[in-house]
Amino acid sequence: MENIVYFSKDLTEVDDKLHKRLGIRGRRAVDLAMMGLPIAPGFIIDSQLTQKLPQVNVKQIIKPYIEKLEKDTKKKFGDAQKPLLLKVVLSSDLNVPNFPSIHNIGLNDSTVKGFAKFTGEDFAWGEYRFLLNSIGGKVHKLDPSELKKFDSKGKTPKAQELQGIVDNFKKFLGDKFSQDVYDQLGLILKGAASSYCDSEIDVDNSLSLMVQVMVYGNYGANSYSGKYNTRNIVMGDPEIQGDFLQNEFDIDRIKPKEIAKIDKKYYDKLAEIGRKVEDNFKEIREIKFTIEEGDFWLVEQREVDEKSTQSHVKTLLDLCKRKIITEEFLIQNIKPNQLNELLHPVIDPRTVKNVKTIKGGIAGSTGAAIGRVFFSTPKILEEHKKAMMSAGDTNLILVMSATYAEDVKAIEVAKGVISTEGGFSSHAPVVARSLGKVAMVQPEMKIRGNTFTLAGKTVKEGEYVSINVPYYEPPTIYLDKVGLIEPDFKENGLIDFLDIVEHFIEDFNVRANADQGRDAKIAREFHSDGIGLCRTEHMFFNEKRIMKFREMILSETEDERRTALEALRPMQRSDFYELFKVMVGHPVTIRLLDAPLHEFLPRTDESMKQFAAYMKTRKKNASPSELKARSEELAEMNPMLGHRGCRVAITYPEIYEMQTRAIFEAACQLRKEGIKVVPEIMIPIVMTEQELKFIKNGKKIEGKEVKGIRDIKEEVIKEYGVQDLEYSVGTMIELPAAALDAGDIALYAEFFSFGTNDLTQTTYGLSRDDVNSFFPSYTQFDLLKNNPFKVLGDQVKELIQIAALRGRLARPDIKLGLCGEHGADPENIEFCMKVGLNYVSCSPYSIPLAKLAVAQNNIALKSAEKKK
């Protein structure tokens, strides 16, 4: 019949249109059967016929298929000696964990006795009772409280009591149950169609009904039941993973044994089937099986949604290695954000039972971390030092309202950071992403002294918490210590995966935001094509440098500033030397000092005292109160739009002069060592071409000379005896004025890098640190499609397009990149590629995500071209 498909290991094909009408559960069975595997046979009534079942002669339709089942199983439907029993499974296009089903159809007062010879009377009568209860509850949806009246009130009943329960059920059900097994099946099919067609499970009239033979793992010593995954779903190891029972029926009710302990001949067969199933579906699958008196049957197979990204990636790598799938298929079947699981620790699900959790907040930097909480930079540094000296626990969590420049060293020693102010692009998450740390923002958290309170729970300093910040759902705080699974890039498949991704990286590439050698090394491991943003201000946060830098800031004369800067120059030179050496042959874009100077000054009384003590060693006596007053003089009302970036260079040109000289010295040193370097010097917060011209070319006016970058280069190569040095100068486009003036700016810039964090702030008039105070309302009323600090807004995109076009018209060979926190988002990457940018730059741990997004876009573009 065209509306019914019979499935067994002999099934070879099914019409595509019919296949679509079988529902998810039915398609799973048919797909398994068409592989020639020993599936427990059955037949499926498609969605078209299911709709009509209440009006048709069901017995006449199903009889030929029952006869086929009898032949394949060597059992008879309704036979009193060795009865064939069936189940009906509802199957639709709604993907649910378990489809409603009615088991043991064919049991009646006669067959239950023959069934009991194989399984025991208690089990047989219990299954009879279960059938009747299912007919009442699942098929006819009778009142559960009425059905409970007939059931046992105490412990699991024995056969004699069960017979009485069965009699009471039969009386209650009346003509809804029949002793005639064909009528019994017909009533169930008609009842199920009547009850579930047009129900919640019947999406788009897709409900079909599957009838399948029942097989039992409790028919004797040579009977088994179990389920297994085609490989380990956490680690991705190729050995099958699962459990089984011997001479028992229900694996969900009795403690099972590990599948590796089953008889070897069965294990080998299960492993062989697992490999075939995995190859066919091109992913991990769960398989349910039963061995009945030595007869091997597969019951069902399903997708494994709970598999880890590691196991999924390793499965695809294995399939690709064996030529089961193409490299393109491999790349297209991993979502970029999934790679976060391979890059950061994840919570071990086996360790979270009974641990109180609080869900909510904003993801800042994905991963998981555990540790004792501390509420200030001095305290967490002190605890870290104690732990290091005593071989104690260095797992620490920093909890602060917000972090600033002087807190970077605290983030470095912490495993994770929880802040209460700001959002995805605020200071703590940005720094955490660059360091590979975990970070979240929890606006609901209240910090009072050395405690925090959240959702009615209070945590004191020194107590353990664990944080889980996934990419796909809100963060979770666990109010205790839980277990972690640490990443191993070589073992978890990430490096092998990235090697294949690299085959599909063409002209558009990915660079790293990296300020230290260790960041650069991680970036190269992930195939970064250089550094797109080195934030030199981060280099001064080191405790050995910050005091000297503060001394420079508070210097009262240019000579004093130059003296302090001269002491810093060898440190800067060493920084740049290491970055260039790691990135040998690849471009390194160094952004000269951008942050407002006052951000480097002490913020707390304790750090002010430390600075005063340092100044005394420099024979510059100044009390903490005097230093605080001088620091406050430098404070600005709106520092983001104030004295920062190139504006500092124009006021104090000696700062950029020192940095530029250090860059060229490091480059020349490496050139003499035979190492190729490609320095790119980037000037931030430029408004007009005149600023860039001034810094690049220098200026003489009224007896004062400001050296330009080109002048400093000439001096350095002469000092080092280097014939010449290739370098380029460019700017960040992070102001609307700069975007609109890009044609003129390009006359002095060899490259543009779009700083989209500030470009977003200045375009929309939003502060990235304050938007969370009102963004929830905007989200509630659908006033903004996306968070513009995660996904580029249309107006920002338009400015980028304008700047790119005008820049190219003025300088056709100009290089264009994007280095904001938007750089790893697939949607943003697609836009950047579309408008002709050359690269994006993002934090080292975001490079794999960005690389994958680039590769996927290239594959999609080629596929679209072929279809033209």
Side-chain angles (χ1 to χ4, degrees):
M1 189 174 182
E2 64 180 13
N3 293 108
I4 297 179
V5 58
Y6 182 88
F7 62 87
S8 71
K9 63 180 177 60
D10 298 320
L11 182 67
T12 56
E13 62 178 342
V14 175
D15 177 77
D16 287 343
K17 291 181 179 178
L18 177 57
H19 189 270
K20 291 176 182 177
R21 300 197 300 267
L22 302 180
I24 291 173
R25 183 68 175 79
R27 289 193 289 271
R28 287 177 183 167
V30 164
D31 292 344
L32 198 57
M34 287 195 293
M35 293 176 61
L37 298 175
I39 186 171
F43 59 91
I44 306 162
I45 302 168
D46 79 350
S47 56
Q48 289 181 351
L49 183 54
T50 296
Q51 300 284 330
K52 303 172 185 175
L53 275 186
Q55 291 82 42
V56 302
N57 185 335
V58 174
K59 184 174 182 180
Q60 182 181 345
I61 292 171
I62 65 174
K63 198 169 190 308
Y65 299 100
I66 298 295
E67 290 172 353
K68 285 186 178 181
L69 293 177
E70 291 175 332
K71 183 179 179 182
D72 283 344
T73 60
K74 299 180 178 61
K75 296 179 184 179
K76 289 287 185 180
F77 196 40
D79 181 49
Q81 299 304 314
K82 192 175 182 181
L84 170 67
L85 302 181
L86 306 172
K87 64 181 175 183
V88 169
V89 182
L90 278 66
S91 176
S92 77
D93 288 341
L94 180 68
N95 197 355
V96 294
N98 294 294
F99 289 90
S101 57
I102 300 92
H103 290 203
N104 311 306
I105 300 165
L107 281 178
N108 59 23
D109 293 351
S110 173
T111 58
V112 70
K113 295 172 184 175
F115 184 50
K117 292 177 184 177
F118 296 95
T119 64
E121 289 202 351
D122 292 345
F123 180 83
W125 284 96
E127 293 300 285
Y128 195 2
R129 181 268 309 266
F130 183 60
L131 166 66
L132 295 168
N133 189 55
S134 297
I135 291 172
K138 293 182 179 179
V139 177
H140 297 288
K141 299 184 178 179
L142 302 179
D143 186 349
S145 61
E146 289 295 315
L147 294 172
K148 282 184 180 179
K149 292 179 182 178
F150 307 109
D151 220 333
S152 173
K153 305 297 188 295
K155 296 180 180 179
T156 304
K158 297 297 183 181
Q160 187 173 358
E161 183 184 351
L162 285 165
Q163 290 176 34
I165 293 171
V166 165
D167 287 338
N168 289 332
F169 265 120
K170 287 188 295 185
K171 290 175 186 176
F172 178 71
L173 292 174
D175 60 5
K176 293 181 177 66
F177 173 76
S178 174
Q179 292 287 335
D180 181 288
V181 292
Y182 276 96
D183 289 342
Q184 184 186 120
L185 176 57
L187 285 169
I188 289 171
L189 291 171
K190 282 176 175 282
S194 298
S195 295
Y196 289 95
C197 283
D198 298 323
S199 69
E200 289 182 359
I201 195 175
D202 185 20
V203 292
D204 300 325
N205 295 323
S206 62
L207 182 68
S208 64
L209 297 174
M210 183 174 79
V211 179
Q212 188 177 22
V213 301
M214 292 286 295
V215 285
Y216 296 88
N218 59 341
Y219 260 42
N222 198 23
S223 295
Y224 304 81
S225 61
K227 57 185 176 182
Y228 67 99
N229 299 307
T230 55
R231 71 173 59 214
N232 186 295
I233 65 170
V234 176
M235 305 307 292
D237 298 331
E239 292 78 23
I240 61 174
Q241 171 194 40
D243 303 299
F244 77 98
L245 296 172
Q246 185 173 8
N247 200 19
E248 296 286 354
F249 176 69
D250 193 345
I251 197 168
D252 294 320
R253 291 190 296 189
I254 299 172
K255 187 176 181 180
K257 299 177 182 177
E258 290 183 12
I259 198 75
K261 296 180 180 177
I262 201 169
D263 188 291
K264 187 177 185 303
K265 66 179 179 181
Y266 293 133
Y267 180 88
D268 291 344
K269 188 165 187 176
L270 292 169
E272 179 188 0
I273 288 171
R275 172 60 68 92
K276 288 180 179 178
V277 168
E278 196 171 89
D279 287 357
N280 182 76
F281 293 104
K282 301 176 178 61
E283 65 176 2
I284 299 174
R285 290 273 164 148
E286 181 189 85
I287 301 171
K288 194 170 183 179
F289 71 94
T290 295
I291 301 169
E292 184 183 86
E293 290 188 300
D295 291 334
F296 199 104
W297 300 105
L298 302 181
V299 179
E300 63 174 305
Q301 58 82 22
R302 70 171 184 88
E303 302 91 340
V304 183
D305 294 331
E306 58 271 31
K307 64 181 176 291
S308 70
T309 295
Q310 174 171 328
S311 65
H312 186 41
V313 168
K314 291 182 78 170
T315 301
L316 292 174
L317 285 169
D318 181 37
L319 293 170
C320 187
K321 185 177 181 181
R322 294 187 290 112
K323 309 297 183 185
I324 304 297
I325 62 173
T326 64
E327 291 184 345
E328 288 87 346
F329 183 94
L330 165 62
I331 289 169
Q332 289 171 311
N333 279 272
I334 299 291
K335 295 177 182 178
N337 279 333
Q338 283 183 274
L339 296 182
N340 277 308
E341 281 190 34
L342 304 184
L343 290 158
H344 305 286
V346 294
I347 297 290
D348 187 340
R350 298 167 296 184
T351 65
V352 300
K353 190 177 180 181
N354 300 324
V355 178
K356 293 179 180 178
T357 62
I358 303 170
K359 181 169 280 193
I362 301 162
S365 180
T366 52
I370 61 173
R372 295 172 290 145
V373 298
F374 293 95
F375 295 89
S376 69
T377 289
K379 187 62 177 176
I380 201 169
L381 292 175
E382 178 187 343
E383 288 299 321
H384 183 261
K385 187 175 181 180
K386 284 181 183 177
M388 292 290 288
M389 293 178 68
S390 62
D393 187 358
T394 57
N395 290 306
L396 310 172
I397 302 289
L398 179 65
V399 180
M400 296 181 70
S401 298
T403 62
Y404 300 93
E406 66 182 5
D407 301 311
V408 170
K409 51 186 177 289
I411 299 174
E412 285 183 325
V413 304
K415 298 296 183 182
V417 188
I418 306 173
S419 54
T420 64
E421 299 173 6
F424 177 79
S425 297
S426 54
H427 185 267
V430 168
V431 174
R433 285 194 292 274
S434 73
L435 296 173
K437 305 289 184 174
V438 184
M440 63 175 286
V441 182
Q442 176 46 275
E444 303 299 318
M445 179 182 287
K446 305 299 181 188
I447 300 175
R448 295 182 179 88
N450 292 335
T451 66
F452 76 73
T453 302
L454 181 64
K457 305 293 183 182
T458 298
V459 174
K460 300 175 183 176
E461 189 164 75
E463 293 182 343
Y464 276 97
V465 301
S466 306
I467 57 177
N468 186 35
V469 187
Y471 73 91
Y472 47 83
E473 62 182 26
T476 299
I477 297 177
Y478 295 82
L479 300 180
D480 204 346
K481 185 178 183 179
V482 302
L484 296 181
I485 300 174
E486 296 287 345
D488 184 324
F489 303 144
K490 293 182 180 177
E491 288 296 320
N492 66 19
L494 179 63
I495 299 301
D496 291 338
F497 179 69
L498 289 176
D499 288 342
I500 293 174
V501 168
E502 202 65 21
H503 298 165
F504 299 89
I505 302 296
E506 298 175 359
D507 296 333
F508 188 94
N509 218 316
V510 180
R511 298 189 189 181
N513 297 346
D515 317 317
Q516 301 178 41
R518 66 185 181 196
D519 302 332
K521 288 173 184 174
I522 293 168
R524 284 300 301 137
E525 190 174 5
F526 295 153
H527 302 309
S528 166
D529 185 42
I531 292 175
L533 176 63
C534 168
R535 295 155 291 201
T536 54
E537 56 270 15
H538 288 186
M539 296 171 166
F540 298 118
F541 296 148
N542 183 292
E543 59 184 330
K544 294 179 180 178
R545 306 179 185 188
I546 189 65
M547 295 300 186
K548 180 63 67 177
F549 198 72
R550 288 169 175 169
E551 178 186 353
M552 185 277 296
I553 293 170
L554 294 182
S555 296
E556 296 181 350
T557 67
E558 180 181 334
D559 287 343
E560 287 183 353
R561 278 193 299 277
R562 286 188 176 276
T563 299
L565 288 166
E566 191 60 25
L568 288 167
R569 181 159 61 92
M571 303 175 193
Q572 283 270 269
R573 181 174 60 232
S574 174
D575 293 332
F576 301 140
Y577 177 91
E578 185 176 12
L579 292 178
F580 289 144
K581 193 166 186 177
V582 172
M583 287 291 167
V584 56
H586 294 276
V588 176
T589 305
I590 298 171
R591 182 180 72 187
L592 302 184
L593 187 70
D594 182 29
L597 295 179
H598 78 92
E599 286 195 3
F600 295 91
L601 297 175
R603 289 180 174 272
T604 65
D605 291 341
E606 181 61 28
S607 57
M608 193 63 76
K609 288 178 184 177
Q610 292 173 356
F611 182 45
Y614 165 80
M615 292 294 277
K616 280 186 178 180
T617 67
R618 303 290 300 152
K619 298 181 180 178
K620 297 179 180 179
N621 292 329
S623 67
S625 59
E626 289 174 325
L627 291 173
K628 185 176 181 180
R630 288 167 65 184
S631 297
E632 289 174 351
E633 290 174 8
L634 291 173
E636 298 176 271
M637 294 297 292
N638 192 349
M640 189 197 77
L641 300 177
H643 192 197
R644 57 174 285 209
C646 68
R647 299 161 192 174
V648 171
I650 292 166
T651 309
Y652 306 120
E654 55 272 16
I655 296 177
Y656 275 19
E657 182 183 331
M658 179 277 287
Q659 290 191 292
T660 303
R661 188 173 296 278
I663 291 169
F664 289 135
E665 287 175 346
C668 285
Q669 190 172 337
L670 286 163
R671 274 286 299 276
K672 294 183 77 170
E673 295 173 18
I675 296 173
K676 183 180 179 182
V677 293
V678 188
E680 298 180 346
I681 300 173
M682 184 158 66
I683 313 302
I685 212 76
V686 162
M687 293 185 295
T688 72
E689 77 280 4
Q690 293 299 325
E691 294 165 311
L692 187 58
K693 179 182 178 182
F694 174 84
I695 293 168
K696 184 177 182 181
N697 298 340
K699 197 159 189 175
K700 293 180 181 179
I701 189 169
E702 296 179 0
K704 182 173 177 63
E705 178 183 359
V706 174
K707 291 180 182 177
I709 292 173
R710 66 181 182 183
D711 302 320
I712 298 167
K713 189 266 294 191
E714 291 299 328
E715 290 179 3
V716 173
I717 64 171
K718 186 176 181 181
E719 290 171 16
Y720 276 77
V722 173
Q723 188 172 1
D724 200 5
L725 184 68
E726 180 187 348
Y727 75 102
S728 58
V729 176
T731 186
M732 290 191 84
I733 302 294
E734 47 196 328
L735 299 173
L740 297 174
D741 196 31
D744 291 332
I745 291 174
L747 297 174
Y748 301 96
E750 283 89 39
F751 66 88
F752 288 165
S753 184
F754 293 96
T756 50
N757 293 339
D758 279 345
L759 187 56
T760 296
Q761 293 192 99
T762 54
T763 298
Y764 292 111
L766 292 173
S767 165
R768 68 185 184 188
D769 295 323
D770 300 314
V771 293
N772 289 324
S773 62
F774 57 85
F775 255 24
S777 297
Y778 273 64
T779 302
Q780 180 183 358
F781 297 115
D782 295 324
L783 301 182
L784 274 177
K785 185 169 60 175
N786 295 298
N787 180 342
F789 291 104
K790 286 189 176 181
V791 180
L792 291 170
D794 291 339
Q795 296 81 2
V796 174
K797 286 180 179 179
E798 186 174 358
L799 286 170
I800 292 172
Q801 286 177 292
I802 290 170
L805 176 61
R806 294 180 181 178
R808 280 209 182 89
L809 287 173
R811 187 186 290 270
D813 62 346
I814 192 169
K815 274 199 286 187
L816 304 171
L818 182 149
C819 66
E821 289 300 317
H822 297 88
D825 181 85
E827 186 177 331
N828 298 332
I829 288 171
E830 183 180 358
F831 163 77
C832 292
M833 296 175 73
K834 186 176 179 181
V835 298
L837 270 60
N838 302 106
Y839 66 89
V840 291
S841 186
C842 54
S843 62
Y845 286 93
S846 294
I847 290 171
L849 285 67
K851 285 272 189 178
L852 178 55
V854 172
Q856 289 178 338
N857 200 47
N858 282 333
I859 291 170
L861 289 172
K862 284 191 176 180
S863 177
E865 287 175 6
K866 288 179 182 179
K867 292 178 181 178
K868 288 182 180 178

